[in-house]
Amino acid sequence: MRISTVVTLPADKQPTIRIIPMPADTNANGTIFGGWVMAQVDLAGSVPAAQRAMGKVATVAVNSFAFKEPVFVGDLVSFYAAVVKSGRTSITIDVEVYAQRHRIGSEVVKVTEAQLTYVAIDDNGNPRELPTI
């Protein structure tokens, strides 16, 4: 039996996206597909990346990805994404994912951590330099 570590949502941050997974998102074990979580992480990571790039970005690498706990139908899943590094054309983003179990009560668990790298692109899909901030 797996024992979850109950945590609280980050009080000093706002979630980039929040979503409730549905039965169509489940695997044969009755939990949410890891691929569904990965897709949402990529979407969440693209938000601060596009803001930093002031335009289009493309995912170029998944540097790390750790599934810590399963996600269940009905959980309220919150994705927190932040820029951790900027290069000449690339932006590295950390994403933390928390699930509020079945949206009832206050049980919150950290379900996933990931780090992704995006590259700023022009209208032709070619890398472009990040604007100075």
Side-chain angles (χ1 to χ4, degrees):
M1 181 172 134
R2 177 178 225 156
I3 298 178
S4 300
T5 301
V6 177
V7 297
T8 58
L9 292 173
D12 58 335
K13 302 176 188 174
Q14 290 295 315
T16 305
I17 60 173
R18 297 179 93 184
I19 191 164
I20 300 167
M22 301 304 286
D25 304 316
T26 58
N27 58 31
N29 297 324
T31 58
I32 301 305
F33 276 113
W36 180 91
V37 175
M38 292 178 88
Q40 306 310 311
V41 164
D42 191 22
L43 289 170
S46 72
V47 172
Q51 289 171 337
R52 171 60 188 92
M54 297 181 190
K56 294 180 184 180
V57 294
T59 310
V60 294
V62 176
N63 307 326
S64 65
F65 210 104
F67 294 101
K68 297 178 163 298
E69 297 283 341
V71 176
F72 301 104
V73 170
D75 285 351
L76 176 57
V77 188
S78 300
F79 298 77
Y80 295 83
V83 174
V84 293
K85 181 177 148 189
S86 291
R88 190 178 64 79
T89 62
S90 65
I91 305 125
T92 302
I93 306 290
D94 277 352
V95 181
E96 294 181 312
V97 185
Y98 297 84
Q100 185 176 348
R101 296 295 188 205
H102 312 294
R103 297 175 289 145
I104 299 170
S106 60
E107 182 184 357
V108 175
V109 296
K110 188 175 197 179
V111 295
T112 303
E113 302 179 321
Q115 186 178 82
L116 300 93
T117 300
Y118 299 83
V119 67
I121 57 172
D122 63 20
D123 289 337
N124 296 316
N126 298 311
R128 63 176 173 81
E129 287 194 24
L130 294 173
T132 304
I133 53 173

